[in-house]
Amino acid sequence: MAGHPHLPRSMVLLAAVAIGSLALGACSDDGDDAGEAVYVAQGTTCDQELNSPEAQTINEDVGGLQTPDFTVRFSQTTKLGNVALVSGDTEKAFRVLSEDYGVALVAELEEGEAGTIVGFEQIRDLVADVCGED
């Protein structure tokens, strides 16, 4: 979007990270070292309204969504739009969630120490990466 100098570089960086992560995950012998899959919908910008009725509805619709291929484990509205962290087939989750629900970013859920979920922190870090914030 015009007026946001970090977005194009960030989008290219994130695409490279997602492709690199998928390649690392496919080549890794140790599942614990597999890369994180991250997908960003085309046209995503860093200026979305956090509390819009539409964003809240999307968050409610996708939160906890389960299919045979993936489960939405965590979702949140952000300045990117809606972000969903999933387990299962992340690529298929991205297709469904972005096309059918309007989710802006889908990533594989990372689990913290002792299996605790650190969704808010992961989403904050993903948004910062995409928006070019340090």
Side-chain angles (χ1 to χ4, degrees):
M1 171 172 240
H4 199 298
H6 296 292
L7 188 58
R9 179 181 61 84
S10 298
M11 295 297 284
V12 170
L13 175 62
L14 186 60
V17 168
I19 292 167
S21 295
L22 291 173
L24 286 174
C27 297
S28 176
D29 291 330
D30 181 1
D32 293 338
D33 293 333
E36 174 188 353
V38 178
Y39 299 90
V40 178
Q42 186 174 10
T44 296
T45 61
C46 296
D47 61 355
Q48 302 302 305
E49 186 179 333
L50 294 175
N51 297 314
S52 73
E54 180 183 20
Q56 295 301 324
T57 298
I58 292 169
N59 199 47
E60 291 171 11
D61 289 346
V62 301
L65 181 68
Q66 294 184 342
T67 75
D69 299 306
F70 67 89
T71 299
V72 176
R73 303 281 306 278
F74 198 89
S75 62
Q76 183 178 4
T77 58
T78 72
K79 66 182 174 179
L80 280 175
N82 294 82
V83 174
L85 303 179
V86 301
S87 58
D89 186 337
T90 309
E91 186 176 355
K92 186 165 190 172
F94 173 70
R95 283 193 310 269
V96 170
L97 295 173
S98 64
E99 292 172 12
D100 296 349
Y101 295 93
V103 171
L105 184 147
V106 175
E108 181 179 352
L109 175 71
E110 293 178 353
E111 301 231 0
E113 295 291 320
T116 58
I117 297 173
V118 291
F120 285 120
E121 182 179 348
Q122 183 181 354
I123 288 175
R124 184 188 70 228
D125 292 345
L126 288 167
V127 171
D129 287 346
V130 171
C131 293
E133 300 167 355
D134 291 328

